[in-house]
Amino acid sequence: MRIILKTLLSLSILAGVAGCGLFPPTLVDEGIVKIDIVESRPVWVSRVTVYREDNLTVVRGEAQYPTGVHFGLFRGHIDIDFILPGGKTVKKRDIRLVRKRIPKRSGRKAAFISRFSIEPPYGTIVRVAYHPGTHDPDS
């Protein structure tokens, strides 16, 4: 019994140490970008991370309804703006939200992901917003 306990303890420590190297630091952790989440209701963006993968900048996150909503329909979309230090802006609109829970019971969270072909310099602001409707053609 002691041998099994020691083995399980050793494996859990080894997995914890090895797991730390699996996920490299995000661009936010490195201080390259700052995330600005635009406030919205009833759906809001609850989590966002920005990282580099395969020479692309990836923005991934989650939007959700309040706790009391069980069958939230995500009719809107996500808008992302990269505001570079020189004032240039890179925008992406109409990013689709995918509900996280299957079956859809209590489906109040949805995930989004978007890839950009830019490498953001230090001081870049990533603005993320949930947009409930459609955009004007001139925006």
Side-chain angles (χ1 to χ4, degrees):
M1 187 66 173
R2 283 184 136 193
I3 294 173
I4 294 173
L5 186 61
K6 284 183 181 181
T7 304
L8 288 174
L9 182 62
S10 299
L11 286 175
S12 65
I13 291 171
L14 182 63
V17 170
C20 293
L22 291 177
F23 301 106
T26 65
L27 295 178
V28 176
D29 295 337
E30 293 175 352
I32 296 173
V33 301
K34 292 182 182 179
I35 296 175
D36 177 24
I37 298 174
V38 177
E39 191 174 321
S40 62
R41 293 287 179 230
V43 175
W44 73 89
V45 177
S46 59
R47 187 180 335 183
V48 177
T49 187
V50 182
Y51 57 93
R52 294 284 293 168
E53 180 181 84
D54 298 330
N55 292 325
L56 296 172
T57 301
V58 180
V59 179
R60 175 185 295 250
E62 183 177 278
Q64 68 182 36
Y65 274 96
T67 306
V69 176
H70 291 289
F71 298 101
L73 296 175
F74 294 90
R75 292 190 171 101
H77 60 269
I78 298 293
D79 295 334
I80 299 175
D81 298 341
F82 273 78
I83 304 167
L84 305 176
K88 183 181 175 190
T89 304
V90 177
K91 299 178 181 184
K92 195 177 266 192
R93 302 287 182 248
D94 299 323
I95 299 166
R96 189 173 151 230
L97 285 161
V98 179
R99 287 172 73 180
K100 293 182 81 172
R101 184 140 168 132
I102 308 252
K104 304 294 191 237
R105 185 174 191 288
S106 298
R108 60 184 200 90
K109 293 182 181 180
F112 64 89
I113 186 167
S114 184
R115 291 172 174 78
F116 294 81
S117 61
I118 63 168
E119 184 170 351
Y122 279 92
T124 300
I125 298 172
V126 179
R127 182 169 292 144
V128 181
Y130 175 80
H131 192 264
T134 59
H135 290 284
D136 294 333
D138 57 341
S139 64

